Amino acid sequence: MPANPPSARRADGVPDDAQRRFDDLLAHLPAGVVMHDGAGRVVAANRQALALLGRTEYEAREAPGGGDAWHFVRADGSQMPPSEYPVNAVLRTGAKVSDLVVGVSRPAHGDVRWAICNAYPERDERGAIHRVVVCFTDCTALKDAEQSLHKSEERMRLALQGSTDAPWDWDLVTGELYYSPRWWEMLGYVPGEQAADPEAWVRLTHPEDRISVVAFLDELLPGPRQAYSMEFRLRHRDGHYVPVLSRGYILRDGAGKALRLSGTNTDLTERKQAERRIHELAYFDQLTGLPNRRFLLEELSQILARNSRAGRHGALLFLDLDNFKLLNDTMGHDVGDLLLREVARRLRRALREGDHLARLGGDEFVIVLENLGATPAEATAEVQAVGRKVLEVLGEPFELAGRQCASSPSIGATLFDGHPTDIDALLRQADLAMYRAKDEGRNTLRFFDPGMQAAVDRQAALSAALRTGLARRQFVLYFQPQFGHDGSLVGAEALVRWKRGTDELVGPGEFIGAAESGGLISALGMDVLEQGCHALARWARAPHLATLKLAVNVSVHQLRDPDFPHAVATLLAATGAGADRLTLELTESVFARNPDDLVDRMLQLRGLGVHFALDDFGTGYSSLAYLARFPLAALKIDRSFVQDVDHDPNASSIVEAIIALARKLHLATIAEGVELDAQHAFLAAHGCDVMQGYLLGRPVAMDEFERRYGRAQAQAASGSST
Ligand code: C2E
Ligand code: CA
Ligand code: CA
């Protein structure tokens, strides 16, 4: 329905030409125009106005002037009272209304349209308002856009509130730089406290980072990238630096020119701390704070590359504390830890700035020296000097938990030069040299030489041969007789021999060590015990051998096996040997570790009837505490004392003391290595119970022993009875 244009008409009511054109214009104007009379009633409205109001012209005209018929809304969304309606405002005040934003609620359409209103009065000759013209432009689309912008801004604000990210925005065209409040808060400032200086971030960037950040931007802006991320540090108000991750987008024009840079800074403080902690855990030993094995291996590969470029010598030193395990077992792990910490501290102090120190674990440390002399001889001399220093600082007594302790290291060293070297090989070489240092009396430094590698290779070959030897039953027993103070045969010691070839007989000194380190000693030991038990069982049936005791040597490794007592019991039962004829000879070294477990095991064996003798007495740990603690039957005075007893007052005093001590503890004494009459006489005079040695009888093959002593006894017995 075409709207009746609000217009003046000629007196005859027919519009003239100008009037028609004006009406036409109003009808097509993209703005609404409504005319009201002096009472506020609608007298005319153009098409746009009716569309916006959602009324027909008739409905508009019939609507009461007071305004109940309309539902207008203010810009903020609240209900607009009729007094504020543009027409009423003009009527009431007589003034025009400019650019008022009004929402027209249209119940029939169920929506709200928004309009910008202008209204003005028309007055008659007397000055009274007889007409009010209200014009409005639909701005619904604008209002919607504003609203959604507002919402998205709010969303953004809320999202950022929940995160630690601090937004900023840099207009590269105007140079304007916006820092969000959060940006300032991250650095300890109250927003607005600092002038919004575009250069602020440059000023606050860590001096060490500034050049690289500026260089980064110089490359980023002309380049093609749309997004970037980088880390740098900004100075906090307190003066410390906050590590930040800056991420942003670059807005470019069609030609790729950067117009705007906008992004967020994220505070990395916590993340950095976590990273540092993880790094520490992964690369440092928690006990001493020294770099750990992983750190060392990574560093070594760099060191080797560096030294090969420079063509210089370097050295790797492998350091192991002597008797650390003993200290740990006897004084407790806490004291062991204290020692390790103190060793680390002393080493760090003894070394130069550029030397590397790491703890591999346990009581093992590694030192890497770089830039040593150009010739191997010079480098060796320098390593020896460092070694001396280390031995000196670690040789000083330690005060641990209020007690004085002594410790010493064994050090193995190996040189590396300009040639590419395998790290594992270097560590192995230094390790071998360290074992050589241990073998050669400890508390010393030894260099790796290729002969050590050859020795290791020989050892491996020996282990393989031992294995075959065991399978082929090539191990046989020799027996050495033992005599009481009256000269009567009381027993024998079983000594193993390896019949390697048809007439080659290898002594235990050449293979017991290899069997122990090669894990074969238990199998070998059981073989020996089995042959010994068979001998005892046989002797029991031979009248002149029936009362003899047999001593069998037992390695510390055998006694560490919890199944050992059970295995012995099984053997005794299977062979029918009398347990109380069997003596196991132990050396003091078995007492070095876990003495409680050991006492348990010995008591189980005692329960079977087996006896124990302590071999090589006087040469070991010299702690007398275990003599009372362990169920021993006899002490074997070491050969070294016996051999000097006739000419060295020291040795004779020691032997006297051992015999006296044994008597106090109700232990028998056995002297081994008796070679001379003078020795025999001294021992007999001082009351040694049993004697063994070349003077009285060499070790002989088993059948030879049985033939000789079975008959000798018989002859002696029959001789004395006649
Ligand atoms: P050991 O237990 O101290 O054995 C005594 C060693 O001294 C034997 O050497 C013996 O032949 C030697 N000997 C005996 N009387 C004299 C003497 O008057 N003068 C001198 N100079 N030496 C004498 P062997 O048989 O070579 O045994 C060496 C070591 O091998 C033994 O020392 C023992 O520790 C070990 N061994 C021998 N047999 C076995 C075994 O079956 N098992 C284990 N685990 N070790 C064994
Ligand atoms: Ca022995
Ligand atoms: Ca011995």
Side-chain angles (χ1 to χ4, degrees), residues 320-333 335-336 339 363 403 405-407 438 442 560 588-595 620-623 626 629:
D320 184 287
L321 299 182
D322 302 328
N323 299 329
F324 178 73
K325 287 190 180 66
L326 183 68
L327 178 128
N328 228 5
D329 290 343
T330 53
M331 296 185 65
H333 287 262
V335 175
L339 176 68
D363 57 345
R403 290 163 74 174
C405 303
S407 177
K438 283 224 187 285
R442 309 179 161 196
R560 285 200 192 128
E588 289 164 283
S589 62
V590 299
F591 305 123
R593 240 167 57 178
N594 298 330
Y621 289 85
S622 304
S623 157
Y626 54 71
R629 214 171 140 200

Side-chain angles (χ1 to χ4, degrees), residues 329-343:
D329 290 343
T330 53
M331 296 185 65
H333 287 262
D334 292 348
V335 175
D337 285 354
L338 286 176
L339 176 68
L340 291 173
R341 265 206 213 115
E342 179 61 15
V343 165

Side-chain angles (χ1 to χ4, degrees), residues 196-437:
D197 168 9
E199 295 288 297
W201 73 269
V202 186
R203 219 178 45 243
L204 295 174
T205 298
H206 194 293
E208 282 171 18
D209 297 343
R210 212 171 285 159
I211 294 170
S212 62
V213 170
V214 170
F216 181 81
L217 281 177
D218 283 351
E219 198 186 309
L220 177 75
L221 296 179
R225 287 167 61 187
Q226 292 284 349
Y228 79 90
S229 88
M230 73 172 306
E231 289 182 20
F232 55 93
R233 290 161 291 175
L234 290 172
R235 197 176 63 239
H236 191 273
R237 194 174 181 200
D238 296 350
H240 76 272
Y241 281 89
V242 179
V244 298
L245 170 66
S246 175
R247 279 174 296 194
Y249 288 88
I250 306 123
L251 185 74
R252 299 183 186 279
D253 66 10
K257 183 171 158 13
L259 302 176
R260 190 166 167 183
L261 200 60
S262 167
T264 57
N265 286 359
T266 310
D267 185 340
L268 295 182
T269 307
E270 272 179 33
R271 205 181 302 173
K272 288 277 171 200
Q273 275 164 355
E275 271 173 25
R276 214 165 310 157
R277 183 82 192 121
I278 290 167
H279 180 82
E280 264 172 28
L281 287 173
Y283 286 98
F284 290 87
D285 164 42
Q286 297 305 295
L287 180 66
T288 61
L290 290 180
N292 64 11
R293 173 186 289 269
R294 177 181 308 175
F295 189 105
L296 175 78
L297 294 182
E298 287 183 15
E299 198 167 40
L300 257 179
S301 63
Q302 288 166 20
I303 292 171
L304 291 177
R306 234 185 349 250
N307 274 261
S308 86
R309 274 199 304 278
R312 314 264 322 186
H313 279 93
L316 189 145
L317 283 73
F318 201 108
L319 190 152
D320 184 287
L321 299 182
D322 302 328
N323 299 329
F324 178 73
K325 287 190 180 66
L326 183 68
L327 178 128
N328 228 5
D329 290 343
T330 53
M331 296 185 65
H333 287 262
D334 292 348
V335 175
D337 285 354
L338 286 176
L339 176 68
L340 291 173
R341 265 206 213 115
E342 179 61 15
V343 165
R345 207 178 61 81
R346 290 188 190 181
L347 286 174
R348 217 171 323 177
R349 259 197 334 206
L351 296 172
R352 296 170 309 182
E353 183 83 355
D355 300 339
H356 311 272
L357 173 64
R359 178 176 170 226
L360 285 200
D363 57 345
E364 293 173 349
F365 296 84
V366 163
I367 298 167
V368 180
L369 307 173
E370 283 188 88
N371 292 319
L372 299 176
T375 67
E378 281 171 25
T380 303
E382 286 180 64
V383 173
Q384 266 161 344
V386 171
R388 270 195 301 275
K389 179 118 187 250
V390 167
L391 290 170
E392 185 189 307
V393 298
L394 298 189
E396 298 280 323
F398 290 83
E399 173 98 15
L400 305 174
R403 290 163 74 174
Q404 282 245 333
C405 303
S407 177
S408 64
S410 292
I411 310 172
T414 187
L415 292 182
F416 52 87
D417 58 15
H419 303 296
T421 322
D422 171 18
I423 293 175
D424 285 341
L426 269 186
L427 281 167
R428 260 199 317 274
Q429 290 175 0
D431 193 41
L432 278 175
M434 185 275 289
Y435 276 107
R436 172 66 61 89

Side-chain angles (χ1 to χ4, degrees), residues 115-129:
I116 298 171
C117 282
N118 286 283
Y120 60 91
E122 278 183 13
R123 295 174 193 273
D124 58 20
E125 308 78 50
R126 293 190 310 277
I129 297 174

Side-chain angles (χ1 to χ4, degrees), residues 480 493 495-497 508 512 528 553 555 585 615-616 639 643 672-675 693-694 699:
Q480 185 175 28
E493 177 177 6
L495 297 160
V496 68
R497 303 285 181 263
I512 292 289
V528 168
N553 294 284
S555 155
E585 290 193 3
D615 209 350
D616 304 341
R639 198 165 71 214
Q643 273 165 355
E672 61 178 349
V674 182
E675 293 181 353
Y694 291 172

